[in-house]
Amino acid sequence: MLNSYETASQFEAMSIDLALAALEEIAKQRARESKIDDRSDVEVFCNCVIAKNDEEQIAFIEKLISDGASLDTIFEDFIPSIAERLGNLWKQNRISFFEVNIGTQRLQRLSRIYEKRYLGPVFLFPSGPPVLLILPKGEIHTLGLITASGIFKKFNSNPFIAVGYTDQEILDLLVATDFKLVGMSVSHSGNIASCVQTAKKIKSLSDKKIPIVLGGQGTQNLSKKVDISVFDAITKDPKVALELIPK
C-alpha cells in the first residue's frame, strides 16, 4: 500500500509530465503560427527554388527546422505555400510557365525527401482504410496529391495515387478495391467540370457509396455556373476529408 509521501510524489510527477506536454504543444503551435505568418521565408525560398540551387533549398529548410519549425509545418504548410506563391507569381507575369514547372518539380522532390522524416518509420506502411487520390484530366502538377498522400498516411489511412487514369480505369479500380474515400485535387478551376463528370460516374456505381472530396488551389474561385453538388465536401484539408469515412 502506498503511503502519503509516495502518493504525493506520484501526483507531482504526473503533474510535471502534463505540464511539460502542455508546454511542448504550445511551443509547437507557436512555431507553426510564426512560420505560417512569416511571408519573408516564403519569398526567400521561392528565389531559392527558381535559382536552381538544390543545396541552398535543403539548407534553408534545415535552418527553419533548427529554429523551431516542426516537420508538420514544413510538409503540410510551408512547401504547399511555396507552390501557391509560384502560381501567383506566374499569374502576375513575374515568372515564366517554364519556371513554375521546374519549381514545382523541385518542390515535389523536397516533399519526397521530407515525407519520410514527417511520417517516421511507424507510418511508412499504413494499414488503415484505403483512399483513392485522383489527378484529374488536364492537371499536370502532382505536388498537391503527394502532400495529401503524406498527410493521409500520417493519419493512418492507405492512399493510392491515380495519375493518368481514364474514367473507366478509375471505375475498374473502385470495383477491384474497397476504397473508403475518393479525393480529387485541382490546381486550375477550369478542370473542375471534368472532375464533376468523373465524380458522377463514380456515384453511378450502385453498390458503392463512397464519399468524394474535391480539393486543391483550383477550388478557391469556384464558378456558380458549375454544379458541384456531386461532391460530399470541398476542402484542401485531408484531415477534414477523413471525417467523411463511416466509422
Side-chain angles (χ1 to χ4, degrees):
M1 183 174 179
L2 295 174
N3 59 37
S4 58
Y5 175 78
E6 290 173 323
T7 303
S9 297
Q10 286 185 345
F11 180 77
E12 182 180 358
M14 290 175 61
S15 299
I16 292 173
D17 288 342
L18 288 172
L20 289 174
L23 287 171
E24 183 180 358
E25 189 59 35
I26 291 171
K28 286 180 180 179
Q29 183 64 26
R30 286 178 177 171
R32 172 184 288 271
E33 290 172 353
S34 65
K35 296 308 172 186
I36 292 173
D37 293 337
D38 191 354
R39 303 309 298 174
S40 64
D41 285 340
V42 173
E43 294 294 337
V44 173
F45 195 74
C46 274
N47 292 332
C48 293
V49 171
I50 296 171
K52 309 177 184 179
N53 193 327
D54 292 342
E55 291 183 2
E56 188 176 350
Q57 293 160 25
I58 296 291
F60 191 95
I61 291 180
E62 290 300 323
K63 177 67 165 56
L64 290 179
I65 294 172
S66 67
D67 287 344
S70 68
L71 286 166
D72 286 12
T73 300
I74 297 299
F75 190 85
E76 297 179 16
D77 300 313
F78 186 70
I79 293 177
S81 72
I82 301 300
E84 182 179 1
R85 179 60 180 158
L86 288 175
N88 289 334
L89 289 174
W90 174 66
K91 291 175 185 177
Q92 298 165 10
N93 293 319
R94 294 171 59 183
I95 61 175
S96 68
F97 185 68
F98 174 77
E99 288 174 310
V100 172
N101 280 331
I102 295 299
T104 302
Q105 290 176 22
R106 294 191 182 109
L107 291 176
Q108 290 172 356
R109 170 180 166 271
L110 289 169
S111 291
R112 292 189 178 96
I113 289 172
Y114 283 95
E115 183 186 45
K116 291 182 180 179
R117 286 171 62 184
Y118 163 74
L119 292 175
V122 176
F123 299 100
L124 289 179
F125 304 99
S127 58
V131 174
L132 177 61
L133 302 178
I134 301 170
L135 188 71
K137 288 176 287 188
E139 290 286 329
I140 59 173
H141 297 304
T142 59
L143 179 61
L145 284 186
I146 292 172
T147 303
S149 174
I151 298 173
F152 277 119
K153 290 176 185 176
K154 184 84 167 184
F155 285 84
N156 197 34
S157 58
N158 190 8
F160 177 90
I161 298 179
V163 177
Y165 281 61
T166 66
D167 284 353
Q168 185 56 54
E169 288 171 333
I170 289 172
L171 295 178
D172 292 342
L173 268 178
L174 290 164
V175 170
T177 305
D178 187 22
F179 288 105
K180 302 301 182 183
L181 179 71
V182 173
M184 301 183 189
S185 176
V186 288
S187 61
H188 191 282
S189 59
N191 295 323
I192 290 178
S194 67
C195 293
V196 170
Q197 296 305 313
T198 301
K200 287 181 177 178
K201 292 177 183 178
I202 294 173
K203 291 287 188 181
S204 70
L205 293 174
S206 57
D207 59 335
K208 298 282 184 179
K209 304 296 181 184
I210 309 172
I212 306 177
V213 177
L214 181 66
Q217 295 299 326
T219 62
Q220 288 184 336
N221 299 304
L222 291 172
S223 171
K224 295 181 179 179
K225 296 180 181 179
V226 180
D227 181 8
I228 56 172
S229 59
V230 68
F231 298 105
D232 295 277
I234 309 295
T235 179
K236 294 187 290 183
D237 190 344
K239 289 170 276 190
V240 173
L242 284 171
E243 294 175 1
L244 296 173
I245 298 178
K247 303 300 182 184

